[in-house]
Amino acid sequence: MSRVSVVIPARDDAVLLDRCLRALGRQTLAPAEVIVVDNASSDATAAVAAAHGARVLAEPRIGIWAAAATGYDAAEAPVIARLDADSLPPAGWLEAIAAALERRPHAAAVTGWGVFEDLPRHWGAPVAAAYLGAYYALGFAAAARPPLWGSNMAIRRAVWHDVRDRVHRTEREVHDDLDLALALGPHRIIAADPRLVVGVSARSLRGSAQLGRRFRRAFRTLSLNWAGMPPWQRWAVRLRRPGDLPARQGPHDG
């Protein structure tokens, strides 16, 4: 029996959600449950989710963090995997998620890679490599750990319940995945596994307005989290020997 719940926050994304759920239906390891959080959609998002047998939750507060957190709170399996509605996981994705965390029993979360599958054939992988490479490099510098990427990640349910009151779930203009990685703190292990690859849409990169909003969200996310622990303090904790880490760590902390 699968030990992985899959959470997908979605708003007005019925077409891409249908494709994502079809891909989840072809997994070599079936999920324990699929939770689609309908974030005040005006299209058939909820109906599409229900037609695929997903557990549909309504989150009327508009914002990807509010929707994602509602799904994480409701998840019942020991591991919570996350996709976006435009994610296209290969058939072995859930099996790879489970294996990645089994190989790393002390990891709090695992995060993966992507390919922009709606760009021309020879551009999808290199553009994704440039975009995600920059995100992971800058996120690592900011968090003293690899950041999480919401289109392809998983977190242990016990860890989520430990940190959920420290994330900024009511903030609309933050990156929820980076915010969660920062809330996990530098003493927990986030494993970046390049073998976890999904297809994604490049729509978030199209247009100067979209790019500008992403940068504003990044600065907002960092400013909120650095107010409590600036990056130099995160790195000081990260570089301590394991025996010097705080005694309050949970069983999945690094």
Side-chain angles (χ1 to χ4, degrees):
M1 180 179 179
S2 175
R3 294 167 55 82
V4 185
S5 296
V6 180
V7 171
I8 307 171
R11 174 174 164 80
D12 294 334
D13 236 341
V15 174
L16 289 175
L17 178 64
D18 179 70
R19 185 188 68 164
C20 178
L21 293 174
R22 289 180 187 277
L24 281 176
R26 296 190 290 269
Q27 293 296 298
T28 55
L29 175 67
E33 59 181 346
V34 176
I35 300 173
V36 173
V37 184
D38 178 22
N39 195 204
S41 296
S42 58
D43 70 352
T45 290
V48 166
H52 282 278
R55 179 181 170 195
V56 183
L57 303 178
E59 175 48 70
R61 295 173 298 174
I62 296 174
I64 194 167
W65 222 160
T70 293
Y72 300 160
D73 285 343
E76 296 179 352
V79 173
I80 305 170
R82 157 77 183 276
L83 294 170
D84 285 326
D86 67 342
S87 299
L88 187 61
W93 177 71
L94 269 179
E95 193 168 357
I97 288 279
L101 286 171
E102 286 175 4
R103 287 193 303 269
R104 304 170 177 89
H106 298 294
V110 64
T111 189
W113 199 253
V115 174
F116 292 129
E117 44 80 30
D118 58 349
L119 291 181
R121 181 177 178 182
H122 298 295
W123 286 98
V127 172
Y131 171 73
L132 288 173
Y135 172 70
Y136 275 118
L138 294 173
F140 186 84
R145 287 288 185 188
L148 294 166
W149 183 46
S151 295
N152 181 12
M153 55 164 272
I155 185 171
R156 298 188 193 273
R157 181 174 177 268
V159 175
W160 164 249
H161 280 267
D162 188 43
V163 303
R164 64 181 179 178
D165 292 332
R166 296 203 291 273
V167 302
H168 300 88
R169 66 168 73 200
T170 61
E171 292 274 347
R172 289 183 61 176
E173 295 304 316
V174 299
H175 290 302
D176 66 295
D177 43 10
L178 179 58
D179 188 60
L180 177 55
L182 290 162
L184 288 174
H187 58 287
R188 288 188 175 86
I189 295 174
I190 298 174
D193 193 330
R195 288 168 290 191
L196 299 176
V197 182
V198 301
V200 290
S201 168
R203 60 184 177 175
S204 62
L205 304 182
R206 294 191 174 105
S208 57
Q210 184 67 258
L211 286 173
R213 187 180 189 189
R214 295 192 70 80
F215 278 112
R216 289 193 299 273
R217 284 182 171 181
F219 286 123
R220 176 65 174 162
T221 306
L222 293 174
S223 64
L224 286 170
N225 285 278
W226 284 353
M229 180 181 283
W232 55 88
Q233 289 183 7
R234 292 176 180 272
W235 276 102
V237 173
R238 173 72 174 85
L239 296 174
R240 290 178 191 167
R241 293 177 301 169
D244 295 332
L245 293 177
R248 60 182 175 81
Q249 293 183 103
H252 303 301
D253 296 339

